[in-house]
């Protein structure tokens, strides 16, 4: 086995693979050897020095143990290296488990963390002592495109209690230039109280017209009704929603409104200005909020007319949340939920200054989303109470 491993690593067999069939066939033949090589690489990283080098610490190698494992290519037996302190905990073949992490999954996991194809090649070589060509890595990551397509076209539920929508901008190379493109995201709150990523759509600069296409796609995939939408105050957004889901209540994000209003205020006035805005959206009901808006306008209209007029112009859509009990108000007055999602996506893609193609962008964002949404398993806080409130307000529109 050791001789085969040496031949495998030194031969460059994984270099120059050009087809998916070639890659699959080779991985089937060499999977066990690859795993052993990767385990040795992990132990090198754990100990801080390579095999046959002088011991550089208190811990050292301590032979190997045989282990039977199950892989996507069937059952096999491998040699798992040990350390004297017994604290080596490999990733590719975890302790006390018979399943291994496949080469493909490792590559895709690294790609999801924002690493480029060449970075992955270097990482596999450095950490695992395992050589996989950039062409083979590209074949593996290209398989994600089909997953994206299948996921994007999957059926959706017929009713969502809330749908939050927002866009996130990335730089993409196109025709020799770097341009901005927008990934449009929609997150739904289903009737079980769980958050659900409804899809991602790629377009140019965010526009109401494109959002209408997004909503139409959601309807084609089975969505019949949305009770409440939550969006920023993009011009024409509300009308686009009404064109597709005419009975939806449309709430504009109050936090976006506050930020937009404060942009035009000089520093010395900001504390007083934002304090007066707070009285508006923290009012106990819509009538009191309107009274606070009138006081706000009287005080600030001469100095900051644009900010005041923005509140007045968007008033009906800014105050939809006042029509609901406090528990529902907390989840619909802002798009913070989806903005937090955008922030997490940025952490996964921060290494990419500009994506080479649209497909590369979609693959990276999709993989980041799959990692992030793994934790979306439990209903939101207080769901039992909130569901009963939705049932009372919307009656027959929420059928369980």
């Amino acid at each position: 086995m050791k001789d085969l491993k040496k031949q495998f690593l030194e031969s460059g067999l994984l270099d120059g693979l050009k087809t998916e069939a070639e890659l699959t066939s080779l991985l089937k033949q060499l999977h066990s050897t690859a795993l052993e090589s990767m385990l040795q690489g992990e132990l090198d990283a754990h100990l801080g020095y390579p095999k046959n080098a002088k011991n550089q610490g208190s811990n050292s190698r301590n032979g190997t143990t045989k282990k039977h494992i199950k892989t996507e290519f069937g059952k096999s037996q491998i040699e798992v290296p040990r350390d004297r302190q017994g604290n080596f905990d490999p990733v590719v073949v975890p302790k006390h488990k018979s399943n291994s992490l496949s080469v493909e999954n490792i590559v895709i996991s690294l790609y999801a963390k924002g690493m480029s194809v060449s970075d992955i090649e270097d990482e596999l070589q450095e950490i695992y002592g395992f050589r996989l060509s950039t062409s083979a890595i590209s074949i593996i990551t290209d398989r994600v495109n089909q997953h994206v397509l299948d996921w994007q076209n999957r059926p959706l539920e017929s009713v969502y209690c809330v749908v939050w929508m927002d866009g996130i901008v990335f730089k993409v190379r196109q025709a020799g230039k770097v341009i901005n493109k927008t990934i449009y995201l929609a997150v739904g709150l289903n009737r079980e109280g769980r958050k659900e990523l409804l899809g991602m759509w790629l377009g140019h600069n965010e526009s109401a017209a494109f959002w209408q296409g997004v909503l139409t796609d959601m309807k084609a995939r089975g969505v019949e009704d949305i009770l409440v939408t939550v969006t920023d105050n993009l011009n024409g957004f509300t009308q686009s929603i009404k064109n597709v889901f005419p009975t939806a209540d449309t709430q504009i994000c109050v936090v976006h409104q506050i930020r937009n209003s404060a942009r035009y205020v000089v520093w010395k006035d900001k504390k007083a200005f934002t304090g007066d805005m707070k009285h508006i959206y923290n009012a106990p009901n819509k009538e009191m909020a309107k009274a606070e808006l009138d006081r706000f306008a009287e005080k600030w209209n001469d100095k900051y007319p644009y900010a005041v007029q923005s509140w007045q112009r968007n008033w009906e859509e800014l105050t939809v949340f006042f029509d609901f009990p406090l528990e529902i108000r907390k989840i619909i007055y802002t798009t913070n939920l989806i903005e937090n999602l955008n922030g997490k996506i940025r952490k996964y893609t921060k290494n990419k200054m500009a994506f080479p193609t649209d497909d590369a962008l979609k693959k990276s964002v999709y993989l980041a989303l799959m990692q992030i949404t793994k934790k979306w398993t439990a209903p939101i806080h207080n769901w039992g109470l909130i569901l009963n409130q939705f049932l009372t307000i919307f009656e027959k529109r929420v059928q369980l």
Side-chain angles (χ1 to χ4, degrees), residues 43-313:
L43 185 58
D44 288 350
H46 176 71
L47 296 175
Y49 64 94
K51 192 174 183 179
N52 301 323
K54 185 178 179 181
N55 190 336
Q56 299 177 16
S58 58
N59 201 1
S60 62
R61 286 171 174 77
N62 189 29
T64 62
T65 56
K66 295 184 185 299
K67 184 170 185 174
H68 293 278
I69 61 167
K70 299 174 186 175
T71 76
E72 60 191 291
F73 306 121
K75 295 180 180 179
S76 61
Q77 179 178 288
I78 60 172
E79 300 279 346
V80 179
R82 299 179 301 189
D83 65 328
R84 292 200 177 276
Q85 293 182 358
N87 54 16
F88 173 49
D89 189 9
V91 173
V92 291
V93 185
K95 281 184 176 180
H96 314 301
K97 291 187 178 180
S98 60
N99 293 325
S100 70
L101 184 61
S102 71
V103 176
E104 290 188 39
N105 286 340
I106 292 170
V107 169
I108 289 173
S109 176
L110 294 173
Y111 194 85
K113 291 177 172 60
M115 296 180 69
S116 67
V117 169
S118 58
D119 289 339
I120 294 171
E121 181 185 26
D122 293 341
E123 183 84 357
L124 291 173
Q125 179 70 41
E126 181 178 347
I127 301 299
Y128 298 109
F130 181 77
R131 225 177 144 198
L132 193 63
S133 67
T134 54
S135 60
I137 294 169
S138 294
I139 291 169
I140 291 172
T141 59
D142 283 345
R143 293 178 185 176
V144 176
N145 288 332
Q146 186 59 49
H147 293 306
V148 175
L149 187 62
D150 293 342
W151 173 79
Q152 185 63 48
N153 290 300
R154 76 197 188 284
L156 299 175
E157 294 191 16
S158 59
V159 177
Y160 288 92
C161 297
V162 184
V163 172
W164 297 267
M165 291 177 276
D166 197 15
I168 177 170
V169 177
F170 295 93
K171 294 190 179 299
V172 182
R173 296 187 185 279
Q174 183 173 300
K177 297 180 180 179
V178 175
I179 64 171
N180 288 337
K181 291 198 174 182
T182 301
I183 290 284
Y184 294 72
L185 296 171
V187 175
L189 182 67
N190 63 31
R191 286 171 288 184
E192 287 75 46
R194 292 181 176 85
K195 295 177 292 183
E196 180 184 340
L197 190 63
L198 305 182
M200 68 172 192
W201 299 261
L202 177 63
H204 289 279
N205 293 336
E206 190 174 7
S207 70
F210 194 95
W211 274 116
Q212 184 163 318
V214 167
L215 291 156
T216 301
D217 177 62
M218 288 163 52
K219 191 165 190 175
R221 289 162 57 203
V223 181
E224 298 172 4
D225 194 10
I226 298 172
L227 306 184
V228 184
T229 64
V230 188
T231 67
D232 60 20
N233 59 355
L234 178 70
N235 189 38
F237 205 157
T238 295
Q239 187 56 53
S240 291
I241 296 168
K242 294 291 187 182
N243 289 343
V244 185
F245 295 101
T247 58
D249 286 343
T250 52
Q251 169 70 45
I252 286 179
C253 175
V254 174
V255 175
H256 271 87
Q257 180 66 32
I258 294 165
R259 290 178 193 155
N260 290 339
S261 299
R263 277 192 309 171
Y264 303 96
V265 178
V266 298
W267 183 83
K268 69 182 182 67
D269 288 337
K270 272 195 176 175
K271 186 175 181 180
F273 186 87
T274 54
D276 290 340
M277 280 195 295
K278 191 173 182 179
H279 292 310
I280 301 172
Y281 59 86
N282 276 349
N285 53 57
K286 192 170 183 177
E287 290 71 25
M288 288 295 296
K290 184 61 169 66
E292 292 294 343
L293 176 64
D294 291 340
R295 279 192 281 272
F296 176 77
E298 186 177 348
K299 180 176 179 180
W300 296 107
N301 192 56
D302 289 343
K303 199 167 189 179
Y304 303 113
Y306 179 84
V308 172
Q309 289 165 17
S310 178
W311 275 93
Q312 293 170 334
R313 183 171 59 253

Side-chain angles (χ1 to χ4, degrees), residues 339-382:
E339 287 190 64
N340 289 338
L341 174 64
N342 289 347
K344 291 175 182 176
I345 293 170
R346 290 288 189 203
K347 289 181 181 178
Y348 279 95
T349 59
K350 63 183 179 182
N351 295 330
K352 302 286 181 69
M353 299 299 291
F355 289 87
T357 63
D358 289 352
D359 279 346
L361 171 57
K362 287 190 286 187
K363 280 193 296 186
S364 291
V365 174
Y366 168 79
L367 290 169
L369 289 168
M370 294 304 101
Q371 293 292 320
I372 296 164
T373 56
K374 279 180 181 178
K375 299 179 180 179
W376 290 8
T377 56
I380 63 171
H381 178 65
N382 250 353

